[in-house]
């Protein structure tokens, strides 16, 4: 057999192991590259509906704006003017012919201000003059803060121009590299994901070097095994270049086989990870298929690995071709075993393996430590952005905090319990192609739950002021006194704040800009008095489980006869998201009855109980926090109820009188008497009577021995009006419930009522209607109110401008605030919440998968390293085996050495890996979503990385030793014969 075929084609088990090691590295490279490319593309697609639309740049003068403005851009001059209280506000010039991208800034005349309820006169003083103007309330356009004036260009010129905004169109899907997008969501997630993936890509270079080391180590072992054969071939006339070329071809083929297997493993592994993520409910949209964009990256990776492997094979063969020996391993002398230092050295030093193995092991583990620290640090950066951390209260069902809307007064409910709380909003901003996060919050509340402190300047006093985290100030090169322009997140918006202070805060909070709530609400499109979420130091100790249900209504008859039985109805609501069975206590007078009821998730049930009235008096029925009273008396025995009857009415009008019994059922054939005239009720209990002359009209009804009475005042100036009642449901809402106000209108007159102006109002909600009611008709008008903090409130009903009904109710506050904890993606539809959750879900999947692939690469690297070390001691291992040592005993010795070597290597790898990351950070590669990653790692993270690296070292050593222990001891002791090839052939 030709020596060329032998040197190229004879692959032993060790070579096949090397292929697996190379495959592990290539799987990491290809899998990471595929995830990086696919995740970047998917994030862009997710946020596509929130494209920038337009971008704005800010200039100190109009001339500068004109010089920098592209064609068809809109220039909007502005002035800074002082008004009431000496507060400085922006006055924006309304453009006459704006570009379509700035159309929202046009329209209207005069001076407008959104923070007004009615027109008023204001005096504004600018740098160049004072102007007195009539200011009118402004609607929702343009998208600027409510405290900004919008005026004609002439007014701004009279005040003195202080600068100008330039608004230009941005193509769909593109990210402006200069200025601030008016809508930032797409740009933020696209650029932020790109930053995160770039940070990961910095470690791919190191993994490529490790693959080269693996191929080099395996080739060295092959050359060592065939050293005698090579010298024989050289002695028979073979050229050095021939030998080098043969080993280069061998290493290239080995690398190509590993690259092919690694590519397949990487693609399959990534798809398996995505499938597992979907199975376990992790939100992700990744579909890791080989796209042309991915192929353009992966193909060079595979080619580089193959070429690098070939070059490593050539370099490994150079020493022996030049005549140097590769047998440098010698047994240690035990001559100084008696000395104390020698004993210590004997404990720490490996028993069998070469201690120099610690160097390549440290290099491999340094890469693994860098992976773990980087991914752990990036996860710490993304956690505050990807969802609620700790005690975070959001709207139930919201898929992400920025898709949530809660009353800011939730924080008051927590503070009432002595719990620090801060209502906040998150804004995702982009400035000149760089991402950063803006948090809307009041600094005192923010500091109470964040452990933040001012280190320079002052806290914000107005909506146009902000404070910046110390890290973000360094990253963005921002100082106190600088002004920053901000854009809206999911809808076009424009604001500008002056940095008045710098604060220091732990973790990624130090990389954020803090603006007042009013400014953040305007940019996020949230109504006044709301926030996206509430951050608290903790939630009340008694949470949802202790109050899993609540009583929403208690219904009883208003009156009843003594010693009778009536029915009471209690409505119970399930506040949990699972099916529960509860016991509801109901107090009836001085006794309590209990009823068991099963409630579906979020559902309610009606409990009906018989109530014995007993002696005359007031009988109380109570459940939960609702209490009702039944009037029990002889005068109601078999009594009749009339009405409802209006308080006033016009003379000689026909009134429909409804007669009911004590149970509320209509009474037919009852005699109704009014002003000496009698009428009889029909089948539905209604009689028609005349109001007669002005004065007090008494109306009586009789049915057998049952009677009833009502009165109405008849006045010449009175008009026919509907009878109205007002109710709030549930009767005792809590701070997580949106109550409904129901106005019930009835027409008691024989003539229809037309064009009745009705206004129903409650805290935070109001509706106005013009209704028509036919004779005897009834209509309901419902108004759903926003959530309110604990306290007492009232709802009102006005008819034709006159207040006719008032209903007071109380909002309860208890530990059920825990029910508003972030749902972790249980619900939600398309929109910014789903886009954010899925985008960060993609990143979490990328991080997890890359860590697994990195672990595989580390196992491959340590396996190659220990394979070389074990191979160098194969004769010693053979002697151990020949003298009676079992494979398990030898494996225990190797693993003990691996533990010593791995421990020493880990102590070196941790500072080296962290130092490498710090260098990458210094070069600007480790800024993610605007947060500068401090790649130092927490003690817990470093301990986990060390333990993981040490475990992978033991796995690699075990794999490297296992193949050698399967060979007979005689073959290990004999080594390579002079003939070489036959022995080597049997070894395969």
């Amino acid at each position: 057999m030709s020596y060329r075929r032998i040197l190229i084609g004879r692959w032993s088990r060790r070579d096949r192991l090397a292929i697996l090691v190379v495959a592990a590295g290539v799987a990491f490279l290809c899998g990471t590259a595929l995830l990086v490319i696919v995740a970047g593309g998917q994030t862009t697609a997710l946020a596509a509906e929130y494209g920038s639309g337009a971008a704005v740049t800010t200039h100190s003068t109009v001339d500068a704006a004109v010089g920098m403005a592209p064609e068809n851009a809109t220039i909007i001059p502005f002035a800074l003017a002082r008004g009431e209280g000496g507060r400085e506000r922006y006055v924006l010039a309304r453009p006459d012919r704006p570009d379509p991208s700035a159309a929202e800034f046009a329209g209207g005349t005069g001076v407008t201000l959104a923070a007004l309820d009615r027109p008023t006169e204001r005096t504004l003083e600018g740098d160049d003059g004072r102007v007195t103007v009539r200011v009118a309330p402004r609607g929702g356009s343009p998208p600027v803060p409510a405290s900004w004036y919008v005026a004609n260009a002439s007014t701004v010129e009279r005040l003195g121009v202080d600068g100008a905004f330039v608004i230009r169109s941005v193509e769909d899907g593109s990210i402006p590299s200069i200025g601030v997008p008016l809508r930032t969501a797409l740009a933020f997630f696209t650029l932020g994901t790109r930053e995160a993936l770039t940070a990961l890509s910095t470690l791919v270079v190191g993994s490529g070097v490790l693959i080269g080391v693996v191929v080099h180590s395996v080739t060295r072992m092959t050359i060592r095994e065939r050293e005698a054969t090579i010298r024989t071939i050289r002695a028979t006339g073979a050229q050095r270049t021939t030998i080098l070329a043969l080993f280069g071809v061998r290493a290239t083929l080995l690398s190509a086989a590993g690259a092919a297997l690694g590519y397949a493993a990487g693609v399959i592994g990534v798809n398996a990870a995505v499938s597992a993520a979907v199975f376990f409910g992790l939100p992700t949209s990744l579909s890791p298929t080989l796209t042309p964009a991915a192929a353009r990256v992966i193909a060079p990776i595979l080619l580089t690995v193959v070429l690098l492997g070939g070059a490593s094979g050539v370099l490994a063969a150079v020493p022996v071709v030049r005549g140097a020996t590769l047998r440098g391993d010698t047994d240690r002398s035990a001559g100084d075993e008696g000395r104390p230092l020698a004993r210590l050295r004997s404990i720490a030093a490996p028993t069998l393996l070469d201690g120099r193995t610690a160097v390549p092991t440290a290099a491999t583990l340094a890469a693994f430590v860098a992976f773990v620290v980087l991914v752990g640090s990036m996860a710490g950066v993304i956690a505050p952005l990807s969802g609620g951390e700790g005690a975070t209260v959001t709207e139930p069902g919201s898929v992400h905090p920025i898709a949530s809307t809660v009353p800011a007064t939730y924080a008051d409910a927590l503070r009432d319990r002595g719990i620090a709380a801060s209502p906040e909003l998150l804004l995702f901003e982009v400035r000149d192609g760089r991402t950063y996060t803006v948090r809307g919050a009041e600094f005192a509340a923010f500091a109470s739950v964040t452990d933040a402190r001012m280190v320079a300047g002052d806290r914000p006093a107005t909506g146009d002021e902000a404070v910046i985290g110390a890290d973000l100030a360094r990253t963005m090169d921002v100082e106190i006194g600088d002004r920053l322009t901000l854009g809206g997140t999911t809808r076009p918006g424009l604001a500008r704040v002056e940095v008045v202070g710098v604060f220091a805060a732990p973790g990624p909070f130090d990389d954020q800009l803090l603006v007042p709530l009013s400014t953040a609400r305007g940019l996020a499109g949230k109504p006044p008095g709301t926030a996206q979420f509430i951050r608290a130091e903790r939630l009340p100790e008694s949470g949802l489980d202790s109050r899993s249900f609540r009583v929403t209504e208690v219904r009883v008859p208003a009156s009843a006869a003594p010693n009778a039985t009536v029915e009471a109805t209690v409505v119970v609501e399930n506040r949990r998201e699972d099916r529960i069975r509860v016991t509801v206590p109901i107090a009836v007078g001085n006794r309590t009855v209990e009823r068991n009821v099963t409630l579906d998730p979020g559902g309610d049930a009606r409990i009906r109980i018989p109530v014995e009235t007993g002696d005359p008096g007031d009988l109380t029925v109570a459940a939960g926090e609702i209490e009702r009273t039944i009037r029990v008396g002889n005068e109601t025995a078999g009594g009749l109820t009339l009405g409802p009857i209006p308080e006033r009415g016009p003379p000689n009008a026909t009134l429909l009188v409804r007669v009911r019994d004590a149970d509320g059922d209509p009474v037919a054939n009852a005699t109704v008497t009014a002003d000496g005239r009698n009428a009889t009720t029909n089948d539905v209990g209604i009689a028609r009577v005349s109001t007669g002359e002005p004065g007090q009209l008494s109306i009586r009804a009789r049915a057998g021995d049952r009677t009833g009475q009502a009165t109405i005042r008849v006045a010449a100036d009175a008009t026919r009006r509907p009878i109205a009642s007002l109710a709030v449901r549930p009767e005792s809402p809590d701070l997580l419930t949106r109550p409904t106000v129901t106005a019930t209108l009835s027409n008691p007159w024989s003539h229809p009522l037309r064009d009745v102006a009705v206004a129903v109002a409650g805290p935070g909600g109001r509706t106005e209607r013009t209704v028509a009611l036919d004779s005897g008709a009834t209509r309901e008008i419902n108004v759903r109110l926003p959530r309110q903090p604990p306290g007492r409130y009232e709802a009102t009903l006005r008819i034709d401008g006159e207040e006719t009904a008032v209903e007071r109710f109380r909002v309860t506050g208890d530990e059920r605030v825990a029910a508003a904890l972030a749902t972790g993606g249980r619900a939600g539809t398309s929109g910014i919440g789903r886009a954010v959750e899925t985008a960060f879900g993609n990143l979490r999947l990328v991080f997890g998968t890359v860590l697994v692939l990195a672990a595989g690469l580390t196992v491959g690297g340590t396996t190659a390293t220990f394979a070389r070390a074990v191979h160098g001691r194969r004769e010693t291992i053979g002697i151990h085996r020949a003298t009676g040592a079992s494979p398990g005993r030898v494996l225990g010795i190797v693993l003990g050495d691996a533990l010593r070597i791995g421990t020493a290597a880990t102590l070196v790898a941790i500072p080296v890996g962290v130092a490498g990351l710090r260098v990458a950070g210094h070069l600007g590669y480790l800024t993610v979503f605007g947060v500068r990653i401090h790649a130092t790692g927490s003690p817990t993270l470093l301990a986990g990385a060390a333990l993981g690296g040490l475990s992978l070292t033991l796995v690699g050593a075990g794999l490297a030793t296992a193949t050698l222990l399967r060979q007979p001891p005689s073959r290990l002791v004999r080594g390579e014969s002079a003939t070489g090839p036959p022995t080597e052939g049997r070894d395969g």
Side-chain angles (χ1 to χ4, degrees):
M1 179 180 292
S2 169
Y3 70 86
R4 290 180 172 85
R5 292 184 57 188
I6 293 175
L7 292 183
I8 294 176
R10 287 289 182 87
W11 288 2
S12 65
R13 293 188 183 92
R14 189 165 44 257
D15 294 316
R16 290 191 286 273
L17 175 62
I19 292 175
L20 294 177
V21 172
V22 173
V26 173
F28 169 79
L29 291 173
C30 292
T32 302
L34 186 59
L35 283 172
V36 165
I37 295 168
V38 173
Q42 285 292 318
T43 302
T44 302
L46 285 169
E49 62 179 298
Y50 306 106
S52 304
V56 57
T57 55
T58 308
H59 305 272
S60 58
T61 65
V62 174
D63 290 340
V66 171
M68 298 295 294
E71 187 178 358
N72 296 326
T74 300
I75 299 175
I76 303 178
F78 63 82
L80 291 172
R82 291 170 296 279
E84 292 181 328
R87 176 184 172 185
E88 194 173 66
R89 299 191 184 187
Y90 280 81
V91 183
L92 212 64
R94 185 181 295 107
D96 293 331
R97 296 183 180 85
D99 179 76
S101 62
E104 294 174 301
F105 292 85
T109 58
V111 181
T112 61
L113 183 66
L116 281 184
D117 294 329
R118 58 182 181 273
T120 187
E121 195 172 85
R122 293 279 176 89
T123 298
L124 303 177
E125 184 177 356
D127 293 338
D128 292 350
R130 176 181 297 182
V131 178
T132 300
V133 294
R134 183 169 180 78
V135 185
R138 182 175 68 244
S141 181
V144 296
S147 61
W148 285 20
Y149 292 93
V150 176
N152 297 328
S154 58
T155 302
V156 174
E157 291 175 359
R158 290 166 62 190
L159 291 170
V161 177
D162 289 291
F165 297 115
V166 174
I167 299 177
R168 68 186 190 281
S169 298
V170 175
E171 294 182 4
D172 291 340
S174 63
I175 309 300
S177 58
I178 298 177
V180 176
L182 288 183
R183 187 164 57 179
T184 60
L186 173 64
F188 179 86
F189 289 111
T190 300
L191 294 174
T193 302
R194 191 179 301 168
E195 291 169 349
L197 300 178
T198 298
L200 283 177
S201 299
T202 58
L203 298 178
V204 173
V205 177
S207 62
V209 174
L210 286 179
I211 291 176
V213 171
V214 168
V215 176
H216 182 272
S217 296
V218 172
T219 306
R220 291 271 289 183
M221 286 185 290
T222 302
I223 292 172
R224 173 180 293 174
E225 195 171 61
R226 292 162 176 77
E227 186 174 350
T229 302
I230 294 172
R231 297 190 188 282
T232 302
I233 294 171
R234 285 282 293 117
T236 57
Q239 299 295 318
R240 294 179 179 179
T241 54
T242 302
I243 303 298
L244 293 177
L246 290 175
F247 278 101
V249 171
R250 177 188 178 87
T252 300
L253 293 176
L254 185 148
S255 300
L261 181 61
Y263 166 75
V267 174
I268 293 173
V270 167
N271 279 278
V274 173
S275 299
V278 173
F279 177 80
F280 288 107
L282 179 68
T284 180
S285 65
L286 294 183
S287 179
T289 57
L290 186 62
T291 62
R296 286 192 293 270
V297 175
I298 292 177
I301 289 177
L302 297 177
L303 180 60
T304 301
V305 167
V306 173
L307 295 178
L308 185 62
S312 299
V314 172
L315 292 175
V318 168
V320 71
V321 169
R322 289 179 176 176
T325 180
L326 295 180
R327 299 182 181 273
D329 298 330
T330 58
D331 292 334
R332 294 178 185 83
S333 172
D336 57 352
E337 288 181 358
R339 298 178 183 178
L341 185 60
R343 289 198 188 97
L344 181 61
R345 187 184 300 115
S346 66
I347 295 174
T351 303
L352 182 66
L353 302 182
D354 190 348
R356 291 173 294 181
T357 306
V359 176
T361 303
T364 303
L365 294 183
F368 179 75
V369 169
F371 278 117
V372 173
V373 172
L374 177 61
V375 172
S377 300
M378 291 174 67
V381 167
I382 291 175
L385 305 181
S386 62
E389 275 195 312
T392 301
V393 180
T394 64
E395 183 178 13
S398 60
V399 72
H400 186 274
I402 74 165
S404 163
T405 302
V406 297
T409 47
Y410 275 20
D412 298 331
L414 291 170
R415 295 190 192 107
D416 288 343
R417 295 172 173 81
I419 300 173
S422 174
E424 297 179 357
L425 299 94
L426 274 181
L427 303 174
F428 301 137
E429 292 293 329
V430 174
R431 177 189 182 220
D432 295 337
R434 300 180 66 178
T435 60
Y436 68 103
T437 304
V438 174
R439 186 175 295 264
E442 301 306 328
F443 185 82
F446 169 78
S448 69
V449 296
T450 313
D451 194 24
R453 57 186 177 84
M454 294 294 300
V455 295
D458 302 311
R459 300 181 179 184
T462 69
D464 294 331
E465 295 180 346
V467 290
I468 192 170
D471 267 359
L472 182 61
R474 287 190 291 270
T475 301
M476 297 180 61
D477 193 23
V478 171
E479 299 178 349
I480 293 177
D482 291 349
R483 296 181 186 267
L484 300 176
T485 301
L486 308 176
T489 299
T490 59
R491 69 173 195 171
L494 175 64
R496 189 163 167 82
V497 294
E498 179 182 2
V499 176
V500 297
V502 178
F503 68 89
F509 295 105
D510 205 43
D511 293 85
Q512 296 179 357
L513 181 73
L514 201 68
V515 302
L517 282 170
S518 58
T519 302
R521 288 190 190 111
L523 294 172
K526 298 295 183 181
T530 64
Q532 291 171 343
F533 54 91
I534 310 294
R535 279 198 309 128
E537 62 177 343
R538 60 181 175 84
L539 286 175
E541 294 179 1
S542 178
L544 182 62
D545 289 338
S546 65
R547 298 294 300 273
S548 57
F549 69 94
R550 63 187 299 264
V551 176
T552 59
E553 292 185 59
V554 176
R555 303 171 189 165
V556 298
S559 60
N563 301 313
T565 299
V566 296
E567 185 179 76
T569 302
V570 177
V571 182
V572 184
E573 179 186 51
N574 182 3
R575 299 310 307 273
R576 293 175 52 166
E577 296 191 4
D578 55 349
R579 186 181 178 90
I580 61 173
R581 182 172 177 80
V582 298
T583 300
V584 182
I586 304 170
V588 181
N590 57 3
R591 66 188 182 91
T592 299
V593 297
E594 293 184 344
R595 292 292 185 268
N596 295 323
V597 62
T598 300
L599 299 171
D600 291 329
D604 57 23
R606 286 159 176 77
I607 303 173
R608 293 179 172 84
I609 61 170
V611 176
E612 297 179 358
T613 57
D615 296 331
D618 288 341
L619 177 63
T620 299
V621 179
E625 298 180 357
I626 302 176
E627 183 178 290
R628 291 288 179 265
T629 301
I630 305 173
R631 296 191 306 274
V632 181
N634 289 326
E635 68 277 6
T636 64
L640 301 178
T641 301
L642 277 64
I645 302 294
E647 295 179 357
R648 302 174 76 239
N652 302 313
T654 300
L655 180 66
L656 305 181
V657 179
R658 190 180 300 271
V659 181
R660 296 184 178 88
D661 61 16
D663 294 329
D665 297 326
V667 179
N669 299 317
T671 300
V672 179
T673 303
D675 196 21
R677 293 184 293 272
N678 295 332
T680 303
T681 58
N682 58 18
D683 292 340
V684 293
I686 296 177
R688 292 173 176 262
V689 300
S690 174
T691 57
E693 299 299 323
Q696 193 79 10
L697 178 65
S698 178
I699 305 173
R700 292 180 175 84
R702 176 179 293 276
D705 60 352
R706 297 175 295 175
T707 62
Q709 181 176 337
T711 60
I712 178 176
R713 181 171 181 78
V714 181
D717 61 346
T719 60
R720 294 180 179 87
R721 282 189 179 178
I723 300 172
S725 63
L726 205 59
V728 177
R729 295 289 184 272
E731 296 174 338
S732 181
D734 66 15
L735 75 170
L736 298 179
T737 302
R738 295 187 62 183
T740 299
V741 178
T742 300
T744 303
L745 306 178
S746 300
N747 181 6
W749 307 100
S750 62
H751 293 282
L753 300 178
R754 309 295 184 194
D755 301 326
V756 180
V758 180
V760 183
R766 179 183 177 88
T767 186
E768 296 182 0
R769 304 271 181 84
T770 299
V771 301
L773 293 168
D774 292 334
S775 176
T778 299
R779 182 172 179 178
E780 287 187 352
I781 298 175
N782 296 312
V783 179
R784 195 176 187 195
L785 305 179
R787 299 176 181 85
Q788 300 295 333
R792 297 186 179 275
Y793 301 89
E794 67 177 30
T796 60
L797 170 64
R798 289 180 175 270
I799 298 178
D800 293 331
E802 181 179 339
E803 186 173 278
T804 58
V806 177
E807 180 74 6
R808 293 176 176 82
F809 62 97
R810 185 168 69 94
V811 176
T812 61
D814 54 36
E815 282 73 15
R816 283 168 294 192
V817 70
L821 278 175
T823 60
R826 287 197 305 268
T829 56
S830 61
I832 185 61
R834 175 57 63 189
V836 173
E837 178 68 9
T838 307
F840 286 124
N842 288 346
L843 284 179
R844 287 192 290 269
L845 175 60
V846 170
F847 293 161
T849 305
V850 167
L851 267 183
V852 173
L853 293 173
L857 174 62
T858 304
V859 169
T862 54
T863 299
T865 298
F866 281 100
R868 180 178 176 181
V870 171
H871 184 265
R873 294 294 187 181
R874 65 190 185 281
E875 294 182 4
T876 305
I877 292 174
I879 293 173
H880 277 278
R881 291 281 288 113
T883 55
S886 66
R889 170 62 178 163
V890 175
L891 180 61
I893 295 173
V894 173
L895 291 181
D897 286 354
L899 181 62
R900 297 182 180 92
I901 292 172
T903 301
T906 300
L907 294 177
V908 175
I910 290 177
V912 170
V914 171
L917 287 178
R918 293 181 69 86
V919 171
H922 181 72
L923 296 176
Y925 291 107
L926 300 186
T927 299
V928 179
F929 289 103
V931 179
R932 186 193 301 267
I933 295 179
H934 298 283
T936 54
S938 65
T940 302
L941 184 62
L942 293 177
L947 183 60
L950 194 58
S951 300
L952 296 178
T953 299
L954 295 176
V955 172
L959 291 175
T961 309
T963 57
L964 201 63
L965 292 178
R966 296 175 62 183
Q967 299 183 29
S970 59
R971 182 171 297 175
L972 296 175
V973 174
R974 181 177 60 220
E976 185 187 47
S977 65
T979 55
T983 302
E984 196 273 334
R986 290 190 301 270
D987 191 33

